[in-house]
Amino acid sequence: MRYPLFMTILIVLIVSYMIFSQAFAIEQPSQELDQLSKQVYDLTKTKQYEKAKEKMDELAKVFTAQVSDKNPDIESLDIMTRTIVQGKRAFAMVELDDDRLNWHALQIRLMTDALTHQHQPLWKNYYKTYMEQVNLMISSVSRREADGFREALEKNYQLYATLRPAVAVSHSISTVEMMDSLYQFLHNKKKNPHSSWEELNGGLTQLKESVEQLFSANSRDAYSPVNGSSPLGIIIAVAAMVLSTLTYVGWKKYKGERRVEEPRFNDQNK
């Protein structure tokens, strides 16, 4: 029985090592991407733009290496890539704009966080602010205040534009396209809201429902590097399955050998 047990332990160790090596190889660039985006954000807030630009270049390289292995849909990849490219261009400008750089740094930070933190992405912390802005638009429309509606729409759309790349990571591209269509409708109506208050009210009601679903729905797994599971958890789970299977096989083999040996033993005693 010792030999099958030794082989069982050896196989479990080999399988566990293979799983851990693969998980660590995936998780390492994921952690690096998250750390780089945080550094870009922090450096930008403190106006250390040269250092932020250097970290931005590093982030772009890590992002390209990591996301290319995830096979995202082409539309989501386009949104993410353009977010990185636009951020790099903003930091490369001759005349730097503080507000613009901070906006790009935040946008990239939220997007990369959504890539690396599937279940609790930072962008969902904006739910309260988002809903307050939507409710303000609804209130302005109900009071027939055109200027108030336009101002509230611009603020809310700016927030949506900030979150949009992160939303593209966490949700399907059809969800992003649906949100884009709603905002396109609202922007078209803001030019002359006096002739379309009822339509605006209907559009805002749909937007509010969509936002509630957006923030409450579970994020998809598509770009999560380790699908929310730790390498240790994966190792333990697979090792337990392998060990239990091989132990059962070893036990069945042992019982079979015992049944063969027992008649021989009895024949020798006669």
Side-chain angles (χ1 to χ4, degrees):
M1 186 63 182
R2 292 179 180 177
Y3 181 72
L5 179 61
F6 171 78
M7 289 300 298
T8 298
I9 296 173
L10 180 61
I11 292 172
V12 170
L13 290 175
I14 292 173
V15 172
S16 299
Y17 174 77
M18 292 172 63
I19 295 171
F20 178 80
S21 299
Q22 183 179 9
F24 180 77
I26 295 174
E27 188 175 11
Q28 191 173 28
S30 170
Q31 293 176 342
E32 185 179 3
L33 183 65
D34 187 60
Q35 185 64 26
L36 284 169
S37 70
K38 189 177 186 305
Q39 290 174 343
V40 170
Y41 179 71
D42 291 340
L43 289 168
T44 304
K45 286 180 65 177
T46 56
K47 298 185 178 182
Q48 300 180 62
Y49 298 140
E50 193 61 35
K51 292 182 179 179
K53 182 179 181 299
E54 294 175 2
K55 294 297 180 182
M56 187 71 210
D57 292 338
E58 292 181 37
L59 184 149
K61 294 178 182 178
V62 175
F63 172 83
T64 302
Q66 182 175 335
V67 177
S68 61
D69 294 334
K70 302 302 168 188
N71 297 319
D73 56 72
I74 191 66
E75 295 87 355
S76 296
L77 179 60
D78 178 59
I79 292 172
M80 290 185 282
T81 303
R82 280 193 285 112
T83 300
I84 299 292
V85 171
Q86 290 169 2
K88 289 187 64 177
R89 287 175 179 171
F91 280 96
M93 296 286 288
V94 176
E95 296 183 5
L96 300 178
D97 184 308
D98 293 347
D99 292 336
R100 182 181 179 186
L101 292 178
N102 278 291
W103 183 80
H104 281 290
L106 176 59
Q107 189 185 49
I108 292 168
R109 175 69 186 126
L110 295 174
M111 183 188 73
T112 54
D113 174 81
L115 275 165
T116 55
H117 297 84
Q118 173 192 345
H119 298 294
Q120 294 295 332
L122 288 173
W123 70 267
K124 289 197 173 185
N125 293 335
Y126 288 85
Y127 173 74
K128 182 178 179 181
T129 301
Y130 211 116
M131 290 305 296
E132 286 175 352
Q133 293 178 353
V134 172
N135 286 330
L136 182 58
M137 284 191 288
I138 293 174
S139 177
S140 297
V141 168
S142 66
R143 294 196 300 267
R144 305 295 194 264
E145 295 178 353
D147 291 339
F149 164 68
R150 293 191 188 99
E151 183 179 352
L153 175 60
E154 290 305 315
K155 289 182 179 179
N156 181 243
Y157 184 74
Q158 184 177 10
L159 177 57
Y160 171 67
T162 305
L163 304 183
R164 186 172 180 268
V167 172
V169 172
S170 298
H171 293 283
S172 65
I173 192 62
S174 61
T175 299
V176 179
E177 291 173 345
M178 180 267 295
M179 293 293 293
D180 290 347
S181 296
L182 284 171
Y183 280 105
Q184 183 62 50
F185 169 80
L186 295 174
H187 276 105
N188 289 339
K189 294 298 180 182
K190 81 173 183 178
K191 300 173 184 177
N192 186 20
H194 298 284
S195 62
S196 54
W197 292 119
E198 293 302 323
E199 292 181 3
L200 274 173
N201 186 63
L204 288 170
T205 299
Q206 186 175 350
L207 177 64
K208 184 174 182 178
E209 293 174 355
S210 299
V211 171
E212 289 175 345
Q213 294 175 3
L214 193 72
F215 281 86
S216 63
N218 292 327
S219 301
R220 65 180 178 179
D221 306 338
Y223 312 121
S224 177
V226 291
N227 292 328
S229 301
S230 67
L232 181 59
I234 298 173
I235 291 171
I236 293 174
V238 175
M241 288 189 292
V242 173
L243 181 60
S244 62
T245 301
L246 293 179
T247 300
Y248 175 75
V249 172
W251 177 77
K252 292 288 287 183
K253 183 178 179 180
Y254 172 73
K255 292 291 288 184
E257 291 174 351
R258 289 281 295 177
R259 281 195 292 268
V260 172
E261 291 175 358
E262 283 178 1
R264 294 178 180 177
F265 180 75
N266 291 335
D267 291 342
Q268 292 174 359
N269 288 339
K270 288 179 180 180

